[in-house]
mmCIF file of all heavy atoms in Angstrom:
data_model
loop_
_atom_site.group_PDB
_atom_site.id
_atom_site.type_symbol
_atom_site.label_atom_id
_atom_site.label_comp_id
_atom_site.label_asym_id
_atom_site.label_seq_id
_atom_site.Cartn_x
_atom_site.Cartn_y
_atom_site.Cartn_z
ATOM 1 N N GLN A 1409 11.853 -28.704 12.421
ATOM 2 C CA GLN A 1409 13.047 -28.103 12.991
ATOM 3 C C GLN A 1409 13.061 -26.615 12.646
ATOM 4 O O GLN A 1409 12.761 -26.222 11.516
ATOM 5 C CB GLN A 1409 14.289 -28.793 12.450
ATOM 6 C CG GLN A 1409 14.355 -30.248 12.864
ATOM 7 C CD GLN A 1409 15.571 -30.938 12.275
ATOM 8 O OE1 GLN A 1409 16.383 -30.330 11.597
ATOM 9 N NE2 GLN A 1409 15.692 -32.235 12.533
ATOM 10 N N LEU A 1410 13.429 -25.800 13.630
ATOM 11 C CA LEU A 1410 13.357 -24.350 13.473
ATOM 12 C C LEU A 1410 14.157 -23.806 12.286
ATOM 13 O O LEU A 1410 13.651 -22.945 11.565
ATOM 14 C CB LEU A 1410 13.782 -23.666 14.765
ATOM 15 C CG LEU A 1410 12.860 -23.891 15.960
ATOM 16 C CD1 LEU A 1410 13.360 -23.125 17.178
ATOM 17 C CD2 LEU A 1410 11.448 -23.492 15.642
ATOM 18 N N PRO A 1411 15.406 -24.233 12.045
ATOM 19 C CA PRO A 1411 16.121 -23.676 10.885
ATOM 20 C C PRO A 1411 15.407 -23.939 9.561
ATOM 21 O O PRO A 1411 15.411 -23.087 8.670
ATOM 22 C CB PRO A 1411 17.481 -24.385 10.923
ATOM 23 C CG PRO A 1411 17.643 -24.840 12.322
ATOM 24 C CD PRO A 1411 16.260 -25.123 12.825
ATOM 25 N N GLN A 1412 14.767 -25.088 9.434
ATOM 26 C CA GLN A 1412 14.067 -25.399 8.191
ATOM 27 C C GLN A 1412 12.776 -24.595 8.053
ATOM 28 O O GLN A 1412 12.423 -24.164 6.958
ATOM 29 C CB GLN A 1412 13.790 -26.896 8.118
ATOM 30 C CG GLN A 1412 15.080 -27.675 8.048
ATOM 31 C CD GLN A 1412 14.881 -29.159 7.984
ATOM 32 O OE1 GLN A 1412 13.769 -29.658 7.976
ATOM 33 N NE2 GLN A 1412 15.987 -29.876 7.918
ATOM 34 N N ILE A 1413 12.097 -24.384 9.169
ATOM 35 C CA ILE A 1413 10.896 -23.543 9.144
ATOM 36 C C ILE A 1413 11.273 -22.126 8.724
ATOM 37 O O ILE A 1413 10.631 -21.524 7.855
ATOM 38 C CB ILE A 1413 10.204 -23.539 10.524
ATOM 39 C CG1 ILE A 1413 9.602 -24.910 10.823
ATOM 40 C CG2 ILE A 1413 9.131 -22.466 10.599
ATOM 41 C CD1 ILE A 1413 9.105 -25.077 12.245
ATOM 42 N N PHE A 1414 12.337 -21.586 9.325
ATOM 43 C CA PHE A 1414 12.745 -20.226 9.003
ATOM 44 C C PHE A 1414 13.326 -20.105 7.599
ATOM 45 O O PHE A 1414 13.190 -19.061 6.961
ATOM 46 C CB PHE A 1414 13.724 -19.681 10.053
ATOM 47 C CG PHE A 1414 13.035 -19.175 11.278
ATOM 48 C CD1 PHE A 1414 13.132 -19.845 12.485
ATOM 49 C CD2 PHE A 1414 12.247 -18.040 11.230
ATOM 50 C CE1 PHE A 1414 12.480 -19.396 13.615
ATOM 51 C CE2 PHE A 1414 11.584 -17.571 12.349
ATOM 52 C CZ PHE A 1414 11.692 -18.261 13.539
ATOM 53 N N ALA A 1415 13.949 -21.155 7.093
ATOM 54 C CA ALA A 1415 14.467 -21.116 5.720
ATOM 55 C C ALA A 1415 13.324 -20.939 4.725
ATOM 56 O O ALA A 1415 13.404 -20.119 3.806
ATOM 57 C CB ALA A 1415 15.253 -22.391 5.417
ATOM 58 N N LEU A 1416 12.251 -21.689 4.916
ATOM 59 C CA LEU A 1416 11.110 -21.582 4.014
ATOM 60 C C LEU A 1416 10.338 -20.285 4.255
ATOM 61 O O LEU A 1416 9.943 -19.597 3.310
ATOM 62 C CB LEU A 1416 10.183 -22.789 4.197
ATOM 63 C CG LEU A 1416 9.082 -22.931 3.152
ATOM 64 C CD1 LEU A 1416 9.670 -23.367 1.827
ATOM 65 C CD2 LEU A 1416 8.057 -23.939 3.613
ATOM 66 N N ALA A 1417 10.154 -19.932 5.521
ATOM 67 C CA ALA A 1417 9.378 -18.734 5.852
ATOM 68 C C ALA A 1417 10.068 -17.458 5.381
ATOM 69 O O ALA A 1417 9.397 -16.512 4.952
ATOM 70 C CB ALA A 1417 9.132 -18.676 7.355
ATOM 71 N N THR A 1418 11.387 -17.414 5.447
ATOM 72 C CA THR A 1418 12.127 -16.229 5.003
ATOM 73 C C THR A 1418 11.911 -15.978 3.519
ATOM 74 O O THR A 1418 11.647 -14.851 3.094
ATOM 75 C CB THR A 1418 13.627 -16.394 5.314
ATOM 76 O OG1 THR A 1418 13.780 -16.522 6.723
ATOM 77 C CG2 THR A 1418 14.431 -15.223 4.809
ATOM 78 N N VAL A 1419 12.008 -17.039 2.723
ATOM 79 C CA VAL A 1419 11.805 -16.883 1.276
ATOM 80 C C VAL A 1419 10.356 -16.507 0.988
ATOM 81 O O VAL A 1419 10.088 -15.693 0.096
ATOM 82 C CB VAL A 1419 12.208 -18.170 0.534
ATOM 83 C CG1 VAL A 1419 12.052 -17.998 -0.960
ATOM 84 C CG2 VAL A 1419 13.644 -18.546 0.853
ATOM 85 N N PHE A 1420 9.415 -17.059 1.762
ATOM 86 C CA PHE A 1420 8.005 -16.704 1.593
ATOM 87 C C PHE A 1420 7.783 -15.213 1.856
ATOM 88 O O PHE A 1420 7.103 -14.523 1.086
ATOM 89 C CB PHE A 1420 7.132 -17.544 2.524
ATOM 90 C CG PHE A 1420 5.755 -16.997 2.732
ATOM 91 C CD1 PHE A 1420 4.848 -16.933 1.689
ATOM 92 C CD2 PHE A 1420 5.358 -16.536 3.973
ATOM 93 C CE1 PHE A 1420 3.574 -16.417 1.874
ATOM 94 C CE2 PHE A 1420 4.089 -16.033 4.179
ATOM 95 C CZ PHE A 1420 3.191 -15.966 3.119
ATOM 96 N N LEU A 1421 8.344 -14.704 2.946
ATOM 97 C CA LEU A 1421 8.158 -13.291 3.276
ATOM 98 C C LEU A 1421 8.774 -12.381 2.218
ATOM 99 O O LEU A 1421 8.195 -11.358 1.847
ATOM 100 C CB LEU A 1421 8.750 -12.989 4.647
ATOM 101 C CG LEU A 1421 7.987 -13.576 5.838
ATOM 102 C CD1 LEU A 1421 8.756 -13.345 7.129
ATOM 103 C CD2 LEU A 1421 6.595 -12.989 5.929
#
Side-chain angles (χ1 to χ4, degrees):
Q1409 296 178 2
L1410 294 182
Q1412 296 180 1
I1413 291 170
F1414 279 110
L1416 190 72
T1418 299
V1419 182
F1420 163 66
L1421 289 173

